[in-house]
Coordinates of all heavy atoms in Angstrom, one line a residue:
N1 N 55.0 97.0 61.0 CA 53.9 96.4 60.3 C 53.1 95.5 61.2 O 53.5 94.4 61.6 CB 54.4 95.7 59.0 CG 53.2 95.4 58.0 OD1 52.1 95.4 58.5 ND2 53.5 95.2 56.8
V2 N 51.9 96.0 61.6 CA 51.0 95.3 62.5 C 49.7 95.3 61.9 O 49.1 96.3 61.6 CB 50.9 95.9 63.9 CG1 50.0 95.2 64.7 CG2 52.3 96.0 64.5
G3 N 49.2 94.1 61.7 CA 47.8 93.9 61.1 C 47.6 94.5 59.7 O 46.5 95.0 59.3
G4 N 48.7 94.5 58.9 CA 48.7 95.0 57.6 C 48.8 96.5 57.5 O 48.9 97.1 56.5
E5 N 48.9 97.2 58.6 CA 49.2 98.6 58.7 C 50.6 98.9 58.9 O 51.2 98.5 60.0 CB 48.4 99.2 59.7 CG 48.4 100.8 59.8 CD 47.6 101.5 60.8 OE1 46.8 100.7 61.5 OE2 47.7 102.7 61.1
K6 N 51.3 99.6 58.0 CA 52.7 99.9 58.2 C 52.9 101.3 58.6 O 52.3 102.2 58.1 CB 53.4 99.7 56.8 CG 54.9 99.9 56.9 CD 55.5 99.7 55.6 CE 57.1 99.9 55.7 NZ 57.8 99.7 54.3
R7 N 53.8 101.5 59.7 CA 54.1 102.8 60.1 C 55.6 103.0 60.1 O 56.4 102.0 60.6 CB 53.6 103.0 61.5 CG 52.0 103.1 61.6 CD 51.6 103.6 63.0 NE 51.9 105.0 63.1 CZ 51.7 105.7 64.2 NH1 51.2 105.1 65.3 NH2 52.0 107.0 64.3
E8 N 56.0 104.1 59.6 CA 57.5 104.4 59.6 C 57.7 105.4 60.8 O 57.2 106.5 60.7 CB 57.9 105.0 58.3 CG 57.7 104.0 57.1 CD 58.1 104.7 55.8 OE1 58.3 106.0 55.8 OE2 58.3 104.0 54.8
V9 N 58.5 105.0 61.8 CA 58.6 105.8 63.0 C 60.1 106.1 63.2 O 61.0 105.3 62.7 CB 58.1 105.1 64.2 CG1 56.6 105.0 64.1 CG2 58.8 103.8 64.5
A10 N 60.4 107.3 63.8 CA 61.8 107.7 64.0 C 62.3 107.2 65.4 O 63.4 107.6 65.7 CB 61.9 109.2 63.9
V11 N 61.4 106.4 66.1 CA 61.9 106.0 67.4 C 62.1 104.5 67.4 O 61.8 103.8 66.5 CB 60.8 106.4 68.4 CG1 60.8 107.9 68.6 CG2 59.4 105.9 68.0
A12 N 62.6 104.0 68.5 CA 63.0 102.6 68.7 C 63.0 102.3 70.2 O 62.9 103.2 71.0 CB 64.2 102.3 68.0
P13 N 63.1 101.0 70.6 CA 63.2 100.7 72.0 C 64.3 101.4 72.7 O 65.4 101.5 72.1 CB 63.3 99.2 72.1 CG 62.6 98.7 70.8 CD 63.0 99.8 69.8
A14 N 64.2 101.8 73.9 CA 65.2 102.5 74.7 C 66.5 101.7 74.8 O 67.6 102.2 74.9 CB 64.7 103.0 76.1
A15 N 66.3 100.3 74.9 CA 67.5 99.5 75.1 C 68.2 99.1 73.9 O 69.4 98.6 74.0 CB 67.0 98.1 75.8
L16 N 67.8 99.6 72.7 CA 68.4 99.2 71.4 C 69.8 99.7 71.4 O 70.8 98.9 71.2 CB 67.6 99.7 70.3 CG 68.2 99.5 68.9 CD1 68.4 98.0 68.6 CD2 67.4 100.1 67.8
A17 N 70.0 101.0 71.4 CA 71.4 101.6 71.3 C 72.3 101.2 72.4 O 73.5 100.8 72.1 CB 71.2 103.2 71.2
P18 N 71.9 101.1 73.7 CA 72.9 100.6 74.7 C 73.3 99.2 74.5 O 74.4 98.8 74.6 CB 72.0 100.8 76.0 CG 71.0 101.8 75.7 CD 70.7 101.7 74.3
T19 N 72.4 98.4 73.9 CA 72.7 97.0 73.6 C 73.7 96.9 72.5 O 74.6 96.1 72.5 CB 71.4 96.2 73.3 OG1 70.5 96.2 74.4 CG2 71.8 94.8 73.0
L20 N 73.5 97.7 71.5 CA 74.4 97.7 70.4 C 75.8 98.2 70.8 O 76.8 97.6 70.5 CB 74.0 98.6 69.3 CG 72.8 98.2 68.4 CD1 72.2 99.4 67.6 CD2 73.2 97.0 67.5
A21 N 75.8 99.1 71.7 CA 77.1 99.7 72.2 C 77.9 98.6 73.1 O 79.1 98.5 73.1 CB 77.0 100.9 73.0
T22 N 77.1 97.7 73.7 CA 77.7 96.7 74.5 C 78.1 95.5 73.7 O 79.2 94.9 73.9 CB 76.7 96.3 75.6 OG1 76.3 97.5 76.4 CG2 77.3 95.2 76.5
D23 N 77.3 95.0 72.8 CA 77.4 93.8 72.1 C 78.1 93.9 70.7 O 78.5 92.9 70.2 CB 76.1 93.1 71.9 CG 75.5 92.8 73.3 OD1 76.1 92.7 74.3 OD2 74.2 92.5 73.4
Y24 N 78.0 95.1 70.1 CA 78.6 95.2 68.8 C 79.9 96.0 68.7 O 80.0 97.1 69.2 CB 77.5 96.0 67.9 CG 77.9 96.4 66.5 CD1 78.4 95.5 65.7 CD2 77.6 97.7 66.1 CE1 78.8 95.7 64.4 CE2 77.9 98.1 64.8 CZ 78.5 97.1 64.0 OH 78.8 97.4 62.6
T25 N 80.9 95.3 68.4 CA 82.2 95.8 68.5 C 82.5 97.1 67.7 O 83.4 97.9 68.1 CB 83.2 94.8 68.1 OG1 83.0 94.4 66.7 CG2 83.2 93.6 69.0
D26 N 81.7 97.3 66.7 CA 82.0 98.5 65.8 C 81.2 99.7 66.4 O 81.3 100.7 65.7 CB 81.7 98.2 64.4 CG 82.7 97.4 63.7 OD1 83.9 97.4 64.2 OD2 82.4 96.8 62.6
A27 N 80.5 99.5 67.4 CA 79.7 100.6 68.0 C 80.6 101.3 69.1 O 80.9 100.7 70.1 CB 78.4 100.2 68.6
E28 N 81.0 102.5 68.8 CA 82.0 103.1 69.8 C 81.2 103.7 71.0 O 81.7 103.7 72.1 CB 82.8 104.3 69.1 CG 83.7 105.0 69.9 CD 84.6 106.0 69.1 OE1 85.0 105.7 67.9 OE2 84.7 107.1 69.5
Q29 N 80.0 104.3 70.7 CA 79.2 104.9 71.8 C 77.8 105.0 71.3 O 77.5 104.8 70.2 CB 79.8 106.3 72.2 CG 79.3 106.9 73.4 CD 79.3 105.9 74.7 OE1 78.4 105.1 74.9 NE2 80.3 106.1 75.5
Y30 N 76.9 105.3 72.3 CA 75.5 105.4 72.0 C 74.9 106.6 72.7 O 75.5 107.2 73.6 CB 74.7 104.2 72.4 CG 74.4 104.1 73.9 CD1 73.2 104.7 74.3 CD2 75.3 103.7 74.8 CE1 72.9 104.7 75.7 CE2 75.1 103.7 76.1 CZ 73.9 104.2 76.6 OH 73.6 104.3 78.0
A31 N 73.7 107.1 72.3 CA 72.9 108.1 72.9 C 71.5 107.8 72.7 O 71.1 107.5 71.5 CB 73.4 109.5 72.5
I32 N 70.7 108.0 73.7 CA 69.2 108.0 73.5 C 68.6 109.3 73.9 O 69.1 109.9 74.9 CB 68.5 106.8 74.2 CG1 68.8 106.9 75.7 CG2 69.1 105.4 73.6 CD1 68.0 105.7 76.4
V33 N 67.7 109.8 73.2 CA 67.1 111.1 73.4 C 65.5 111.0 73.3 O 65.0 110.3 72.5 CB 67.6 112.1 72.4 CG1 66.9 113.4 72.5 CG2 69.1 112.3 72.5
R34 N 64.9 111.8 74.1 CA 63.4 111.8 74.1 C 62.9 113.2 74.4 O 63.4 113.8 75.4 CB 62.8 110.8 75.1 CG 61.3 110.8 75.2 CD 60.8 109.8 76.1 NE 59.4 109.8 76.3 CZ 58.7 108.9 77.0 NH1 59.3 107.9 77.6 NH2 57.4 109.0 77.2
P35 N 62.1 113.8 73.6 CA 61.6 115.2 73.9 C 60.7 115.3 75.1 O 60.0 114.3 75.3 CB 60.9 115.6 72.6 CG 60.5 114.3 72.0 CD 61.4 113.3 72.4
I36 N 60.8 116.4 75.8 CA 59.8 116.7 76.9 C 58.9 117.8 76.3 O 59.3 118.9 76.1 CB 60.5 117.2 78.2 CG1 61.6 116.2 78.6 CG2 59.5 117.5 79.3 CD1 62.4 116.7 79.8
N37 N 57.7 117.4 76.0 CA 56.8 118.2 75.2 C 56.3 119.4 76.0 O 56.2 120.5 75.5 CB 55.6 117.4 74.8 CG 56.0 116.3 73.8 OD1 56.9 116.5 72.9 ND2 55.3 115.2 73.9
D38 N 56.1 119.3 77.3 CA 55.6 120.4 78.1 C 56.5 120.6 79.3 O 56.2 120.1 80.4 CB 54.1 120.1 78.6 CG 53.2 120.1 77.4 OD1 53.1 121.0 76.6 OD2 52.5 119.1 77.3
F39 N 57.5 121.4 79.1 CA 58.5 121.6 80.2 C 58.3 123.1 80.5 O 58.7 124.0 79.9 CB 59.9 121.4 79.7 CG 60.9 121.4 80.8 CD1 61.1 120.3 81.5 CD2 61.6 122.5 81.2 CE1 62.1 120.2 82.6 CE2 62.5 122.6 82.3 CZ 62.8 121.4 82.9

């Protein structure tokens, strides 16, 4: 929510999942994925 405009997105910062896997004891493993649109 920025400037009163709310967006629901399926993405997040790249460091989020790795940080959770390192700092959160209940996280067994992580994976981050990003599509390559024009391969």
Side-chain angles (χ1 to χ4, degrees):
N1 193 332
V2 178
E5 181 181 353
K6 182 178 179 180
R7 294 192 68 182
E8 297 178 347
V9 296
V11 292
L16 175 60
T19 300
L20 285 168
T22 302
D23 300 342
Y24 177 45
T25 56
D26 282 342
E28 184 175 313
Q29 191 53 277
Y30 79 93
I32 59 173
V33 175
R34 177 177 174 175
I36 305 178
N37 295 324
D38 297 306
F39 192 86

